[in-house]
Every structure is written in C-alpha cells, then in structure tokens.
C-alpha cells in the first residue's frame, strides 16, 4: 500500500491532471445522458444566425458542441468512429466511457494507482467479449451457418424477420420511431438491394418536404431532378392530374427508347467556333462584340499555344508578322481539333443518345443543340455520385465522347473487354412529380415478368419541415448502416439493456471466484458497476424508479439457471445409429424492463427487441480503450504559440 501511495502522491500533478480530464469529460456526460433510449429527450441547438436544430442523436450533438479541452475531444473522436463504422451506439459509447472514468476516479483519489484500473478494465473487456460470443444467437436457428454467407439468405423469412427486428430497435430512439413498421420494412428492402456489398452509397437518400413521413418510399433505380429550363423546353405539364399521359412527343420518344451516357465529358471546354461547319442548328446569339473580339484575338491565342513565354496581349499584333508560318501550322492543328469535336457531337447524335449526364455546366449553344435534337442533359458535379449513378444504371463511366466508337467497333470492344456497356438502355424511364419538383426516374426494372432490379435504389424521404427532414435523413442512414453491418455479422443478442445486466452479473461472479488481488478486484467491480448504469439511465429517462426496477431486474438475472436440452436423432438403415446432442441455455439472460409499462419481460420472445452482437462488442471495446487512454495521461502540456517577430517600430 505504501509503494502505491508513494508512486501516486510523489507527483501531485498526476492526480490533479486525471481529475481535471475526467471532470471535463463529465460535462459531455450530462449533455448526452437524457438523450439515451426510446424515451430520450431532444436538444435544441441554435447557432449565431438563429438557425436551430432539434435532435437526440449523440453524434450530431457532439458535432455542434464547442469543446476546447483535449480529453473530451478524445470522446468525440471515438463517437465519430462508432458512428462511421456501425452507425448506432454513439451515445452509449460516450456515456459508458464517462461512467468508467468516474468510477475509477473515486478510488484513484483513495491512492489506488491508475494502472490498476487499466489492467482491471482490460481483463473485464476480454471476459465480456467472450461472454457475448457465448450467448449470441444465430438468426436462422439450427440451420447451417454456411447459408449466412450466401445470397440465398435474403430469401430466408427467419433471417428477414431478424433484420426487421434490428431495424426497429435501431430507430426506436429516433424520429422515425413513430412510424417504425413503415421505415423498418423500407430499411430491410434497401439492404436486400445491397446484399453483402458494404457500399451504402448505392442507396441514394434524398429528402423533399411533404405532408407526412408515411409518404416516404424506396424507389428502384435513380431519380434525377429536372430543372425549370428542361421543363420549358419539353413542355412538361405542371398539373398533377395529367402527369405522363399528356406529355409531348419528344418526351414520349425518350421514355420509350432511352439511351444514356454518363461521364466526365468536359463539354464546357469546347468553343462554338469548332462547330461552325457542322450541319446542326447552332444559335446565333446577339453577342457580336464577343464574336468580333474572338476573331481579333484568334491569332493571339494561336501564338500563345506555341509560345509559352509570350508577353501581354497588347504585343500580339507585333508578333503576328513574325510568326506567320507558325500560325499556318496552328490553323491546321485547330482545324483537326475542330473536325474531331464535330465528329464527336455527330457521333453522339448518330448513336441516338437522348440523355447525357456529366459533371459540368454546358454553354448555352450546346444546350440549344441538345434541345434541337431531343437530348436531356443533367449536371452532377460530385464525382462519387457520378460513379454511383453509373453503377446503378449498369453502364461504365466515360471521359470522352470518342468512347462511343467502342460501341460501333466490336473488335475493339472485345479487346478492351468492357464488363459494362458504355450506353445504358434501361427498361423503364418516367417522369415523377414529387412535391413541387419533377424527377426523371431511371430504372432497369421494366414491365417484364423477370422483374430485374437495378443495381441501386433511391430512398425518398418526406417530412413536413426542413428541420425534421434533416433528422429523418440522419436516422435512416444510421439504420441502413447498422443493417448493412448486420448482414455481414448477423448474430444477435437481446436489446433494451438486458445484456449489460447479464455481463455485469457474470463478471462479478468470475472475479470473486478467481481474483485474489483486492485492488484488481475493485477495478473489475467498477467495470461491472458501470455496465449496470446503462439500463439504469434507460429506466430513468422513461420516468420510472430506476433503483427499484434495477434491483428487481438484478434479482431476476441472479436467479438464472442453466437448462440442458438433449436432442436425439435415430437413423434406421442396415444398422441403427443414434446421435445425442446436448445444448445448454439460460432462462433469464434476456430479461429486461419494458419501458412502456415498467414491467420485467423477455426482450426477445416478448418484445422482439434485438440488436446485433457486434454492436455491443464495439461499444465495450471503444469505451474501454478510451478510458484506458485517458487514465494513462498524467500531465497535460499546453504549447503556447510562438510570439511573432516585431520590428522596433512595432514595439
């Protein structure tokens, strides 16, 4: 005891630093404590411009908190990691970390060295992870676990019910909880599109204000917003009663025979002079002055292309006489470039392309050419979104219109060995009025009997206000994130905090049985006490007597007795073979508190409240690691910025 006192108290700053760090972390704890669980309350966040946001999402709240102390910023980092990797449990990670720190601080002030708690917490973490692996349940019962790795699992009704339970539990504390059945079904349908693909961006999420959240739907394929110019060009009727039946013939031809290309085409870098000899309707704008200036400066630009060190444009007239030969060569090169650009536009029209998707704005004269030839153009500046759309409509991303030649030259196409076609020809395309906007729906799923689904889908979220809409988008993405992770790690445990109580009970029993070091036993019991605080906070936020209900719940788990079930299989052939298999189950491990009426029920069989086992494992791992990291800090060193050099006149 004296050695530990000497090691800790020899530097008074050590305990002082630990205390300051933990107290700073507890400020975040008090902010987030009331947001946990299905009855968690919201926080109203207001910025300096009086813009407001109401949310109970832990990651969002931490994002807006102005934290300067380094210790709480570590907690924000682990919350961000939890949100990105799992999509749920951010609040639980932060709260559990703060509780572990607070319980350790009580005994550190009584001269127990922080390293003891670091060791004890690591032992507790390892034990809890082993228990989770022991009690986790397969979503398909006694069926072969190899089926969990095959796409046939998405046709298994038992597995889909498991995903539905995980989805409803995930959104139980979010804004989508009021329509839990509706959004849980949509979430399961969305993850069926992704299957084992971890790229969740294939489900594009857009939000439009509407009358009710029940208007939200999952749409196969891609939705592209049509702007006002395109509406005017193609005379789309704005009356909702006459949607697609009274469209003009130009739109009907696109709807019947769609041909789409998508890529980074850089059409904004072409000049209208390149198309003067092209037999297309090119508009003659009233920009005579600009045209004259372009003609006067044409030779100057040619000089600049060949003379890298050319001076100001005012000296170009003097250089023209000296560079006549170069200008002739430049004109030949420009004529060749013009001819190439003309061929590309002619090829675009010849191929019958009527929808072009690229990443830049196009000049007015190109827009006019597209209009005259019945071509719709969509500008998607985000490169990642371009890639997602190209994958959804099953075509490759191109970088030059000359790539269309590959579609004509079959020999070249075989050599390049394209996995996807350059031109997409979807089976279904239509115009949808949604709210006060129009969208072009592109889908590979036509009216054929096979019902081929697109490679991706679009989640259309509706909500009465913009503030609610942003919260709905965050909640749906969190649900989709955890469902996608559950598909790859499908084992489940009971939700509602029941597993925390079971882990705490088993940890205490194991420690009392094998641990002889009193200080190490104290640290392990602190870990067990911290686990019990999560269900206690859930009960408090629901408005019940937390001490009374938690005490009853611990008694129920304490009375848990293992039961052994024996399965006997008899095979009758030439010889009789008997196989006996014994499985051990625990009756009360999934007992938790029904927060709707305050009764103790089985969370899996009675309420169907389930969560993936990896979620709790990730929460315990991150919180334990963060706690150990903060407890290892014995001194905070703040580096002051260097003072800038000042001249004597500034002193």
């Amino acid at each position: 005891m004296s050695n530990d006192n000497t090691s800790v108290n020899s530097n008074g700053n050590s305990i002082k630093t630990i205390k300051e760090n933990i107290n700073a972390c507890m400020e975040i704890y008090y902010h987030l404590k009331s947001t946990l669980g299905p009855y968690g309350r919201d926080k109203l966040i207001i910025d300096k411009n009086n813009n407001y946001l109401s949310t109970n999402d832990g990651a969002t709240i931490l994002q807006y908190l102005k934290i300067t102390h380094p210790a709480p910023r570590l907690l924000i980092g682990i919350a961000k990691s939890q949100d990105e990797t799992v999509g749920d449990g951010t609040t639980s990670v932060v709260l559990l970390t703060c509780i572990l720190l607070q319980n350790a601080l009580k005994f550190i002030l009584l001269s127990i060295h922080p390293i003891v708690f670091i060791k004890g917490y690591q032992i507790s973490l390892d034990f809890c992870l082993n228990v989770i692996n022991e009690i986790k349940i397969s979503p398909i019962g006694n069926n072969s676990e190899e089926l969990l790795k095959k796409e046939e699992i998405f046709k298994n009704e038992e597995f889909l019910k498991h995903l539905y339970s995980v989805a409803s539990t995930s959104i139980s504390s979010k804004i989508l909880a009021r329509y839990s059945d509706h959004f849980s079904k949509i979430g399961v349908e969305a993850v069926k599109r992704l299957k084992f693909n971890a790229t969740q961006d294939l489900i594009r999420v857009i939000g439009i204000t509407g009358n009710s959240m029940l208007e939200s739907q999952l749409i196969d394929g891609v939705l592209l917003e049509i702007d006002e110019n395109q509406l005017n060009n193609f005379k789309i009727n704005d009356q909702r009663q006459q949607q697609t039946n009274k469209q003009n013939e130009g739109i009907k031809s696109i709807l019947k025979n769609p041909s789409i290309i998508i890529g980074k085409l850089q059409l904004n870098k072409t000049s209208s002079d390149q198309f003067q000899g092209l037999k297309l309707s090119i508009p003659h704008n009233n920009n005579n002055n600009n045209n004259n200036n372009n003609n006067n400066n044409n030779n100057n630009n040619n000089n600049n292309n060949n003379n890298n060190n050319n001076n100001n444009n005012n000296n170009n007239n003097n250089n023209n006489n000296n560079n006549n030969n170069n200008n002739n060569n430049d004109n030949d090169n420009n004529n060749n470039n013009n001819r190439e650009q003309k061929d590309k536009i002619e090829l675009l029209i010849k191929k019958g392309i009527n929808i072009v998707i690229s990443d830049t704005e196009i000049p007015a004269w190109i827009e006019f050419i597209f209009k005259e030839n019945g071509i719709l153009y969509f500008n998607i500046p985000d490169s990642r979104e371009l890639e997602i759309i190209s994958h959804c409509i099953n075509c490759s991303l191109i970088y030059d219109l000359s790539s269309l030649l590959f579609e004509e030259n079959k020999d070249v196409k075989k050599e390049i060995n394209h996995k996807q076609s350059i031109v997409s020809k979807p089976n279904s395309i239509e115009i949808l009025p949604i709210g006060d906007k129009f969208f072009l729906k592109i889908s590979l799923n036509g009216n054929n009997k096979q019902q081929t689904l697109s490679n991706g889908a679009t989640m259309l979220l509706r909500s009465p206000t913009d503030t609610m809409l942003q919260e709905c988008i965050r909640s749906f993405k969190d649900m989709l994130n955890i469902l996608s992770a559950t598909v790859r790690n499908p084992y489940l445990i009971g939700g509602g905090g029941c597993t925390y109580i079971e882990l705490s009970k088993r940890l205490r029993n194991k420690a009392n049985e094998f641990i002889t070091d009193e200080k190490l036993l104290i640290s392990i019991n602190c870990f067990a006490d911290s686990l019990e605080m999560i269900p206690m906070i859930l009960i408090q936020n629901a408005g019940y007597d937390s001490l009374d209900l938690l005490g009853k719940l611990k008694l129920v788990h304490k009375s848990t007795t293992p039961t052994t079930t024996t399965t006997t299989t008899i095979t009758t052939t030439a010889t009789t073979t008997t196989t006996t298999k014994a499985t051990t189950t625990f009756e009360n491990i999934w007992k938790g508190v029904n927060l709707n009426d305050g009764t103790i029920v089985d969370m899996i069989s009675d309420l169907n409240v389930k969560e993936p086992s990896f979620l709790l494992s990730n929460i315990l791992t991150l919180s334990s690691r963060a706690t150990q990291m903060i407890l290892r800090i014995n001194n905070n060193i703040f580096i002051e910025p260097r003072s800038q050099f000042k001249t004597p006149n500034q002193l």
Side-chain angles (χ1 to χ4, degrees):
M1 188 75 176
S2 58
N3 292 335
D4 289 334
N5 289 339
T6 302
S7 62
V8 175
N9 295 328
S10 59
N11 187 359
N13 291 331
S14 175
I15 295 180
K16 182 180 178 182
T17 300
I18 293 175
K19 185 177 180 180
E20 289 178 354
N21 291 340
I22 294 177
N23 289 336
C25 293
M26 293 307 295
E27 293 182 7
I28 295 182
Y29 171 81
Y30 295 120
H31 279 297
L32 296 184
K33 179 182 177 182
S34 60
T35 66
L36 184 66
Y39 288 94
R41 285 160 287 176
D42 294 345
K43 303 295 180 183
L44 184 62
I45 303 172
I46 306 174
D47 63 9
K48 61 181 179 181
N49 297 323
N50 289 328
N51 297 320
Y52 66 91
L53 173 67
S54 178
T55 180
N56 67 346
D57 181 65
T60 304
I61 296 172
L62 292 175
Q63 177 183 349
Y64 286 98
L65 288 178
K66 292 183 178 180
I67 303 296
T68 57
H69 198 282
R73 289 170 65 180
L74 291 175
L75 299 186
I76 296 177
I78 66 169
K80 184 177 180 180
S81 175
Q82 176 76 5
D83 188 54
E84 292 176 350
T85 56
V86 181
D88 197 8
T90 53
T91 304
S92 298
V93 166
V94 175
L95 292 181
L96 185 57
T97 303
C98 294
I99 296 169
L100 289 170
L101 289 171
Q102 188 181 41
N103 288 337
L105 180 62
K106 298 176 183 178
F107 294 94
I108 291 176
L109 295 177
L110 297 177
S111 301
I112 296 182
H113 202 284
I115 293 297
V116 176
F117 287 92
I118 293 174
K119 294 178 181 179
Y121 285 176
Q122 184 60 45
I123 294 173
S124 302
L125 172 64
D126 295 338
F127 176 79
C128 290
L129 294 180
N130 290 332
V131 173
I132 292 174
N133 289 329
E134 177 186 340
I135 65 176
K136 66 183 181 182
I137 303 173
S138 173
I140 56 175
N142 296 326
N143 294 331
S144 174
E145 295 186 0
E146 292 296 327
L147 182 62
L148 295 173
K149 302 178 182 179
K150 300 178 181 179
E151 291 190 357
E152 289 80 3
I153 191 63
F154 294 97
K155 298 179 181 179
N156 187 292
E157 291 296 330
E158 189 176 1
F159 180 74
L160 295 180
K161 289 180 180 179
H162 154 65
L163 291 181
Y164 178 83
S165 301
V166 172
S168 59
T169 303
S170 174
I171 62 176
S172 63
S173 60
K174 304 181 186 298
I175 191 173
L176 302 180
R178 64 190 68 179
Y179 304 114
S180 178
D181 292 341
H182 179 70
F183 286 102
S184 296
K185 292 177 181 177
I186 292 178
V188 173
E189 288 299 320
V191 82
K192 285 170 66 177
R193 305 292 184 92
L194 293 176
K195 293 184 170 60
F196 297 105
N197 193 340
T199 307
Q200 299 168 32
D201 293 339
L202 293 177
I203 306 296
R204 301 173 70 237
V205 181
I206 62 175
I208 301 176
T209 54
N211 295 327
S212 172
M213 293 167 61
L214 287 175
E215 296 178 1
S216 303
Q217 57 180 316
L218 185 70
I219 299 175
D220 180 71
V222 177
L223 288 184
L224 299 175
E225 184 177 355
I226 303 178
D227 58 26
E228 295 181 359
N229 293 330
Q230 292 168 323
L231 289 175
N232 295 330
N233 291 342
F234 291 93
K235 301 178 182 179
I236 297 176
N237 199 327
D238 191 31
Q239 297 182 3
R240 304 296 187 268
Q241 299 86 353
Q242 301 177 356
Q243 297 175 8
T244 56
N245 294 328
K246 295 186 178 181
Q247 305 299 335
N248 67 327
E249 294 300 324
I251 285 292
K252 286 184 178 179
S253 64
I254 294 179
L255 297 180
K256 291 180 180 178
N257 303 301
S259 295
I260 307 171
I261 61 170
I262 180 171
K264 300 181 179 181
L265 305 178
Q266 299 180 348
L267 295 176
N268 61 332
K269 294 185 178 181
T270 57
S271 171
S272 61
D273 294 333
Q274 297 174 338
F275 298 89
Q276 292 299 327
L278 192 61
K279 295 180 180 180
L280 295 172
S281 298
I282 300 177
H284 298 284
N285 297 329
N286 296 325
N287 295 328
N288 295 328
N289 293 331
N290 293 334
N291 293 332
N292 292 331
N293 291 333
N294 290 331
N295 293 329
N296 292 331
N297 293 328
N298 188 28
N299 291 330
N300 296 337
N301 293 331
N302 294 331
N303 292 331
N304 290 332
N305 293 332
N306 292 277
N307 299 305
N308 294 328
N309 298 319
N310 206 4
N311 294 325
N312 296 330
N313 292 332
N314 295 330
N315 297 326
N316 288 335
N317 293 328
N318 295 329
N319 294 329
N320 287 335
N321 294 328
N322 297 327
N323 298 311
N324 288 329
N325 294 329
N326 293 332
N327 288 337
N328 292 331
N329 294 330
D330 292 340
N331 289 332
D332 293 338
N333 293 331
N334 287 332
N335 290 332
N336 293 331
N337 293 333
N338 294 347
R339 197 175 299 110
E340 291 178 1
Q341 294 293 342
K342 294 174 186 178
D343 293 340
K344 291 177 183 179
I345 294 295
E346 283 182 337
L347 181 62
L348 178 70
I349 298 173
K350 178 183 176 182
K351 293 288 293 182
I353 304 299
N354 43 32
I355 298 178
V356 179
I357 306 173
S358 187
D359 62 339
T360 56
E361 297 283 352
I362 57 175
W365 59 271
I366 292 186
E367 184 178 348
F368 184 84
I369 292 176
F370 283 174
K371 174 185 174 182
E372 289 294 311
N373 292 274
I375 299 175
L376 281 173
Y377 181 81
F378 294 93
N379 174 29
I380 308 292
D382 189 355
S383 299
R384 176 60 177 167
E385 192 169 0
L386 275 179
E387 295 176 359
I388 295 299
I389 293 175
S390 66
H391 181 79
C392 290
I393 62 178
N394 197 26
C395 69
S396 58
L397 202 67
I398 64 175
Y399 296 88
D400 193 89
L401 289 175
S402 60
S403 300
L404 292 171
L405 292 171
F406 298 147
E407 292 291 315
E408 293 183 341
N409 193 336
K410 296 182 180 179
D411 295 334
V412 175
K413 188 175 180 181
K414 289 180 180 178
E415 292 179 3
I416 296 178
N417 190 21
H418 284 292
K419 295 182 180 179
Q420 293 178 321
S421 174
I422 293 176
V423 178
S424 175
K425 295 185 177 182
N427 296 324
S428 173
I429 186 169
E430 58 182 317
I431 296 172
L432 299 178
I434 304 174
D436 57 351
K437 300 178 181 179
F438 280 93
F439 290 86
L440 189 70
K441 176 190 172 183
I442 304 173
S443 173
L444 300 180
N445 180 12
N447 296 323
N448 55 347
K449 296 181 179 180
Q450 295 180 354
Q451 290 293 309
T452 303
L453 296 177
S454 303
N455 295 333
T458 301
M459 179 60 203
L460 175 64
L461 285 169
R462 309 296 303 275
S463 182
T465 65
D466 291 334
T467 304
M468 293 177 62
L469 190 59
Q470 295 303 318
E471 187 69 12
C472 288
I473 292 175
R474 282 191 295 270
S475 300
F476 183 83
K477 287 184 176 180
D478 288 345
M479 177 183 65
L480 185 62
N481 195 349
I482 195 168
L483 282 175
S484 178
T486 303
V487 166
R488 298 186 297 275
N489 192 348
Y491 296 95
L492 61 89
I493 56 176
C498 63
T499 311
Y500 288 92
I501 300 296
E502 183 66 20
L503 292 177
S504 175
K505 181 203 72 175
R506 295 196 183 194
L507 181 59
R508 291 184 195 276
N509 294 339
K510 198 72 173 179
N512 291 330
E513 184 178 354
F514 292 100
I515 301 300
T516 57
D517 188 341
E518 292 184 2
K519 294 180 181 179
L520 191 61
L521 184 61
I522 289 175
S523 65
I524 294 176
N525 285 329
C526 285
F527 194 97
D529 292 338
S530 302
L531 293 176
E532 295 175 355
M533 286 297 298
I534 297 299
M536 176 177 283
I537 295 174
L538 291 173
I539 297 171
Q540 287 177 349
N541 290 342
Y544 298 107
D545 187 349
S546 58
L547 292 177
D548 180 47
L549 277 179
L550 187 64
K552 294 179 180 179
L553 186 60
K554 290 171 66 176
L555 287 176
V556 172
H557 278 264
K558 190 176 181 179
S559 61
T560 299
T561 55
T563 58
T564 302
T565 303
T566 303
T567 304
T568 303
T569 304
I570 301 176
T571 304
T572 304
T573 56
T575 60
T576 302
T577 304
T578 304
T579 303
T580 303
K581 183 180 179 181
T583 57
T584 302
T585 59
F586 296 87
E587 294 179 353
N588 297 327
I589 60 174
W590 308 127
K591 293 292 184 178
V593 177
N594 183 355
L595 298 180
N596 295 322
D597 55 15
T599 58
I600 296 177
V601 296
D602 191 295
M603 304 304 290
I604 291 182
S605 61
D606 295 337
L607 297 183
N608 200 29
V609 176
K610 306 171 186 176
E611 62 184 29
S613 61
F614 73 88
L615 174 60
L616 181 55
S617 299
N618 210 57
I619 290 173
L620 296 179
T621 301
L622 285 178
S623 57
S624 299
R625 296 283 190 266
T627 302
Q628 295 175 43
M629 186 186 305
I630 294 175
L631 290 178
R632 287 182 183 275
I633 301 173
N634 69 340
N635 197 7
N636 294 334
I637 302 175
F638 295 94
I639 302 175
E640 296 183 359
R642 295 181 179 180
S643 59
Q644 296 181 354
F645 174 77
K646 296 182 180 180
T647 61
N649 294 332
Q650 294 176 332
L651 295 175

